[in-house]
């Protein structure tokens, strides 16, 4: 891999210092939307199950033991097997998932009714694990879930300070300006910026689309990464604590990068990608594919779509 030092020559910074944290237009934060995995965004899908109500609470332990031994539920470990509900009168009902409807075993069910005080029922429960708080709340309307809060692939915009929100929108506008320059030059309307938030949001690289004047691989993101590489090559001392070209950098693109550019950003170890417009045909970070969500890859990064202010 390539190691990088901060380029020696002066880089362009923000025209003004970040504003004070007060007075942020709250709608600006809401316009920054995380691009989540399909699993994190899916609706509640239900699967039919057989349930039973335990009529004698003293038998609960033995009933659960029998069910565990005779009706294992490996595909429903994301649910609590037992659910308690209390009605308005204060009466508590204990219900248990017996088995999936498709795994119905009449002999074992008959033994259950002959041995214990139970009454059978049918319902539908969530088929998949809830990965987000929103999913947990929706899933719980159907059955009690086992939920362990974990970090999403991309957290919500609440993780950004007010100053960071302003900077995100500011750099997005700069990326759009670069995109307009690309179009004026007869190329695709695509622009890209690479910014180092740990260095007071300095611009580390800029890229315009030049595929019509150069070769077809010269997309804005590729040119932007190349500009960082060129600066590195100009350094006399090439030792650094930074392992890859874009470690910790934020990428701002007016348009969702294609698969090639998405992989280039990944291999450069980008930290976060922000884009405004969807790339329905070839998008690699939300529209067609979600490369940043692939668990098999050895680097993962965050992706946000920055919507236009109406």
């Amino acid at each position: 891999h390539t190691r990088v030092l901060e380029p020696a020559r002066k880089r362009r910074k923000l025209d003004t210092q970040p504003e004070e944290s007060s007075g942020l237009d709250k709608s600006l934060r809401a316009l920054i939307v995380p691009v989540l995995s399909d699993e994190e965004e899916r609706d509640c899908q239900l699967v039919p199950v057989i349930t039973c109500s335990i009529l004698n609470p003293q038998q609960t332990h033995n009933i659960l033991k029998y069910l565990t031994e005779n009706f294992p539920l490996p595909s429903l470990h994301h649910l609590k097997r037992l659910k308690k509900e209390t009605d308005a009168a204060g009466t508590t009902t204990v219900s248990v998932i017996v088995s999936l409807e498709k795994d119905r075993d009449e002999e074992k069910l008959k033994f259950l009714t002959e041995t214990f005080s139970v009454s059978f029922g049918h319902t539908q429960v969530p088929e998949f694990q809830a990965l987000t708080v929103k999913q947990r709340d929706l899933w719980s309307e159907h059955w009690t879930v086992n939920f362990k809060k974990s970090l999403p692939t991309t957290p919500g915009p609440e993780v950004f300070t007010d100053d960071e929100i302003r900077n995100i929108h500011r750099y997005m506008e700069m990326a759009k300006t670069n995109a307009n320059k690309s179009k004026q030059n007869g190329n695709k309307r695509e622009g890209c910026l690479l910014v180092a938030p740990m260095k007071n949001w300095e611009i580390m690289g800029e890229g315009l689309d030049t595929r019509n004047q150069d070769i077809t691989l010269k997309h804005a993101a590729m040119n932007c990464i190349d500009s960082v590489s060129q600066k590195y090559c100009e350094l006399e001392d090439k030792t650094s604590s930074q392992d890859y070209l874009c470690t910790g950098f934020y990428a701002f693109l007016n348009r969702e990068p294609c698969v090639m550019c998405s992989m280039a950003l990944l291999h450069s170890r980008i930290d976060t990608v922000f884009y405004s417009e969807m790339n329905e045909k070839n998008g690699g970070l939300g529209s067609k594919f979600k490369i940043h969500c692939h668990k098999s890859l050895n680097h993962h990064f965050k992706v946000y779509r920055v919507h236009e202010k109406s």
Side-chain angles (χ1 to χ4, degrees):
H1 57 251
T2 307
R3 301 176 65 85
V4 189
L5 253 187
E6 176 185 353
R9 71 184 189 186
K10 188 175 181 181
R11 301 184 197 87
R12 179 156 62 89
K13 297 184 180 182
L14 288 176
D15 295 331
T16 60
Q17 292 297 316
E19 302 173 51
E20 295 299 321
S21 296
S22 60
L24 176 73
D25 184 346
K26 292 183 179 180
S27 66
L28 294 179
R29 187 179 297 275
L31 293 172
I32 302 173
V33 179
V35 179
L36 301 176
S37 66
D38 291 340
E39 292 79 8
E40 292 170 306
E41 290 186 324
R42 66 181 162 202
D43 296 327
C44 185
Q45 300 176 35
L46 302 175
V47 60
V49 296
I50 302 169
T51 63
C52 72
S53 296
I54 300 176
L55 305 180
N56 183 355
Q58 294 181 347
Q59 297 179 337
T60 300
H61 174 76
N62 290 332
I63 291 173
L64 288 175
K65 182 179 179 181
Y66 174 80
L67 292 177
T68 301
E69 293 174 352
N70 293 274
F71 293 100
L73 297 174
S75 64
L76 296 180
H77 282 170
H78 55 282
L79 302 176
K80 294 184 182 297
R81 188 146 201 173
L82 182 147
K83 179 176 72 168
K84 292 183 179 181
E85 292 180 301
T86 303
D87 60 21
T91 304
T92 300
T93 302
V94 179
S95 300
V96 182
I97 299 175
V98 177
S99 74
L100 293 167
E101 187 67 60
K102 68 181 182 66
D103 297 330
R104 186 184 191 94
D105 187 316
E106 294 296 346
E107 290 188 8
K108 291 180 180 180
L109 292 176
K110 182 180 180 181
F111 178 86
L112 191 62
T113 56
E114 292 175 347
T115 309
F116 303 105
S117 298
V118 296
S119 63
F120 289 114
H122 300 82
T123 189
Q124 295 190 93
V125 297
E127 183 176 7
F128 300 107
Q129 180 181 1
L131 300 176
T132 66
V133 173
K134 179 181 178 182
Q135 288 179 332
R136 178 203 63 188
D137 294 341
L138 291 173
W139 274 221
S140 297
E141 294 178 5
H142 301 278
W143 198 267
T144 307
V145 302
N146 290 315
F147 180 75
K148 183 178 180 180
K149 188 174 182 180
S150 59
L151 289 177
T153 51
T154 299
E158 64 274 4
V159 300
F160 298 115
T161 66
D162 288 357
D163 288 340
E164 289 172 332
I165 293 293
R166 293 188 181 95
N167 285 338
I168 289 168
H169 284 281
R170 186 176 304 181
Y171 281 112
M172 183 56 67
E173 291 304 313
M174 292 182 184
K176 291 176 183 177
T177 298
N178 281 352
N180 292 333
K181 291 179 182 177
S182 296
K183 187 176 181 180
Q184 292 170 4
N185 293 335
N187 298 286
K188 298 284 187 180
R189 184 181 170 274
E190 293 183 5
C192 181
L193 294 175
L194 286 171
V195 176
M198 76 293 284
K199 299 179 184 297
N200 196 29
W201 291 73
E202 293 186 22
I203 295 177
M204 311 298 284
E206 296 188 66
L208 306 180
D209 185 283
T210 59
R211 70 187 83 176
N212 288 348
Q213 294 148 296
D214 207 330
I215 58 176
T216 56
L217 299 180
K218 291 293 187 177
H219 297 197
M222 301 294 285
N223 287 334
C224 198
I225 294 171
D226 187 57
S227 71
V228 176
S229 177
Q230 291 297 323
K231 291 176 181 178
Y232 167 73
C233 291
E234 295 172 4
L235 296 176
E236 294 182 4
D237 180 6
K238 293 182 172 59
T239 60
S240 174
S241 60
Q242 220 175 290
D243 287 336
Y244 292 87
L245 280 176
C246 300
T247 299
F249 290 3
Y250 288 178
F252 293 86
L253 305 97
N254 70 300
R255 190 166 182 256
E256 177 189 356
C258 67
V259 173
M260 176 186 70
C261 292
S262 298
M263 287 302 297
L265 290 166
L266 181 148
H267 287 306
S268 300
R269 296 303 190 262
I270 198 71
D271 180 271
T272 307
V273 174
F274 300 89
Y275 67 81
S276 179
E277 303 165 18
M278 302 288 278
N279 182 351
E280 299 290 350
K281 186 177 180 180
N282 298 309
L285 301 179
S287 298
K288 190 78 173 178
F289 303 98
K290 293 182 178 179
I291 289 173
H292 62 296
C293 298
H294 281 241
K295 296 179 181 179
S296 61
L297 296 174
N298 63 355
H299 175 68
H300 299 90
F301 53 98
K302 300 174 285 294
V303 178
Y304 295 88
R305 184 182 177 194
V306 182
H307 292 261
E308 295 276 358
K309 187 174 181 180
S310 56

